[in-house]
Amino acid sequence: MEYNPGWNNNSVNLLHVRAVGPSDTLHYVWSSIGAPAVLLVATDSSSSALRVNWTQLLSPAPTGAIWIDPPGSVVYSAAVVFTKVFEYSEAQTLQELFYPTYDLSDFSWDSINRTLNHTALTAEFAGVPATDPGGSFSNGSLAFRVTAYEASGRDEPLPSLLHTANSSKVEFVLAGVAPRGNGSRFALEVATVEEAGVAQKLRSARSIDDEYTPTIFEMLSLVAESQNDSSALSFLQWKATAYGSQTPRREDGIRCRSHGLQAANWTLPVSSIIHAYFGEGVGSAYTISAINISFGGEDGRVYQEKRYLSWSVLLGFGQPPKDTFSPLVISIMAVALGTPMAMLLVGSCVVLFAQRKRYSEYEPIN
C-alpha cells in the first residue's frame, strides 16, 4: 500500500494498493480527488508500476496524469465511482420526498494518512460537505473504509463476506449525520466505467444457507462481462443488508435494495483519477453505467434511532466468490433429510416382512 506515491503533501488522497503475482499484477488506485473512486487495472507483468504526474493531476486538465508502466502490460482496466448520496422520505401521498442531494465531489476529505494501517491493509476516507447550511454534518461524517486482502478468507464482522486475494472491500459509513426528515432513508449512487465491448450485468443469487449472515438469503453481484466470450472481468458483490451499529448483530440489520442498473447518459461527475487515466473518452469510448443502492425499512426508523449506517461491498477481478454449504449445514441437512428416509425405509421393510409372515400361516384355498 502506497499513500500519495511521489508526493509529499497530505492535502489530497491517493492510495495505491498493489497485489503482485508470479506473472501478473493487480492495481487498485483509490482517491478522493473529486468524487471518491477506485481504478482497477490488471497487467500481465509482475513488475508493472503506477506512474503519477502530480502537477498535471491537480490541474484543471488531468488527462494522461495517471498511467501504468509499461503501458503494453495492461490487459484490463475499469473504475468505480461513488457519486452521490440521496436522502428521501415518504410523504402522506405515498410519494417519495427528496431532499437536496449530497454530491460527493463537493465534499471536503480528511487525510487518510492518519488511518492508514499497513499491517491490517486498511484505510479510511472520511469527509463532510464543503458547505452544510442545514448543519446535518455538524456532529457526523461520511466515510469509505477500504480493506485489501493477502489471501482467501471470510470477514468476521457481519455480513461476513467471503473474499479472495483478487478482491478488496469498501465499507460505506454514515455516522452521526442528522436526518432532514422523520423516517429519512438514504441511497448511494454508484457508477462504473468500462472499456468498449464490456457489459455490466446485475445478478441475484438466493440460498437457504444463512449461517454466516443470519436472516439474509440473497447475494447481489454487479459483474462486468466480455461481450465476446461472456467471461467475467471484474465485479461488485454485496449481501442484501446494511447495519445500524459499529458492532453489527442480526437485530441491527437494515434493508438494502438495488434499483435500476442502467446506462448513464449523464456526464460523469468530476473525478480527477478517472479522467486522468481514461482521458476525455469517458462517456464515448468507455461505457458508464449506474445503480442506486438504498438503505432503510418501510419507515426508515433504524437510522433515525441509531444515527449509524454501514454497507459493505466486495470488489475485484474475475468471477465473484461463491458461497458453498459449510460442513455444519451439510451435516444438519443430512440428518434432517436422512432420518425420515431411513425411518421410511425401515418401516416399509417391517410392513412387508409382517405381511409375508402373516399370509404364510394359511393354506391356500382350492
Side-chain angles (χ1 to χ4, degrees):
M1 301 180 75
E2 302 174 284
Y3 174 62
N4 288 352
W7 184 255
N8 296 321
N9 192 317
N10 294 338
S11 61
V12 295
N13 292 317
L14 189 146
L15 176 65
H16 177 216
V17 182
R18 185 176 60 161
V20 183
S23 59
D24 57 1
T25 305
L26 305 179
H27 297 269
Y28 296 87
V29 185
W30 301 87
S31 179
S32 59
I33 302 174
V38 56
L39 291 173
L40 294 87
V41 184
T43 72
D44 58 6
S45 169
S46 59
S47 59
S48 60
L50 175 72
R51 305 299 184 196
V52 182
N53 183 329
W54 283 97
T55 303
Q56 188 175 353
L57 177 63
L58 300 178
S59 72
T63 299
I66 294 178
W67 70 97
I68 298 295
D69 192 23
S73 65
V74 176
V75 295
Y76 173 73
S77 57
V80 178
V81 190
F82 303 97
T83 53
K84 298 175 184 177
V85 172
F86 302 101
E87 182 180 351
Y88 60 99
S89 60
E90 280 191 358
Q92 293 181 353
T93 58
L94 298 180
Q95 294 181 345
E96 292 175 340
L97 171 65
F98 280 82
Y99 299 95
T101 302
Y102 292 119
D103 190 333
L104 299 185
S105 64
D106 294 332
F107 270 48
S108 174
W109 301 93
D110 296 339
S111 170
I112 68 168
N113 199 29
R114 61 181 180 83
T115 65
L116 188 59
N117 188 324
H118 289 274
T119 303
L121 301 178
T122 58
E124 179 177 314
F125 297 81
V128 296
T131 58
D132 185 22
S136 297
F137 280 79
S138 57
N139 295 312
S141 66
L142 180 151
F144 293 94
R145 296 174 181 167
V146 176
T147 302
Y149 300 109
E150 292 183 310
S152 299
R154 186 182 296 276
D155 281 349
E156 289 186 9
L158 292 174
S160 303
L161 293 173
L162 181 67
H163 60 78
T164 68
N166 292 346
S167 59
S168 295
K169 183 184 76 170
V170 58
E171 183 182 3
F172 167 67
V173 179
L174 274 179
V177 178
R180 290 174 284 184
N182 294 327
S184 283
R185 287 172 280 180
F186 295 90
L188 174 66
E189 183 181 74
V190 183
T192 62
V193 180
E194 293 290 346
E195 301 170 337
V198 178
Q200 290 280 1
K201 292 188 178 180
L202 182 62
R203 302 174 181 172
S204 174
R206 295 182 178 273
S207 171
I208 63 172
D209 184 4
D210 69 338
E211 177 184 2
Y212 300 107
T213 312
T215 73
I216 305 301
F217 302 94
E218 184 180 16
M219 176 78 82
L220 293 142
S221 301
L222 184 59
V223 181
E225 293 184 351
S226 170
Q227 293 180 338
N228 294 330
D229 54 10
S230 299
S231 60
L233 301 173
S234 65
F235 65 87
L236 295 173
Q237 185 182 61
W238 65 95
K239 286 290 187 80
T241 185
Y243 291 95
S245 172
Q246 296 186 40
T247 54
R249 300 169 297 174
R250 180 182 61 83
E251 54 267 29
D252 298 318
I254 298 175
R255 181 179 298 178
C256 170
R257 292 178 175 176
S258 58
H259 302 270
L261 172 67
Q262 57 185 351
N265 55 5
W266 35 258
T267 303
L268 193 69
V270 176
S271 181
S272 292
I273 65 166
I274 304 301
H275 293 286
Y277 182 82
F278 291 103
E280 297 301 327
V282 175
S284 56
Y286 298 91
T287 303
I288 304 174
S289 302
I291 188 171
N292 289 338
I293 310 297
S294 66
F295 316 100
E298 295 301 327
D299 54 9
R301 290 182 181 175
V302 175
Y303 183 82
Q304 189 84 19
E305 295 172 356
K306 301 186 178 181
R307 299 277 177 99
Y308 190 89
L309 166 69
S310 70
W311 172 68
S312 297
V313 58
L314 197 71
L315 54 90
F317 298 87
Q319 286 281 1
K322 289 185 179 181
D323 260 322
T324 56
F325 290 117
S326 68
L328 174 62
V329 173
I330 292 175
S331 300
I332 293 174
M333 292 175 63
V335 172
L337 298 177
T339 301
M341 290 298 294
M343 293 178 63
L344 180 62
L345 182 60
V346 171
S348 300
C349 293
V350 169
V351 170
L352 290 175
F353 179 77
Q355 286 182 339
R356 178 175 296 179
K357 183 177 180 181
R358 183 178 60 188
Y359 284 109
S360 65
E361 294 176 353
Y362 293 89
E363 294 293 334
I365 298 175
N366 187 351

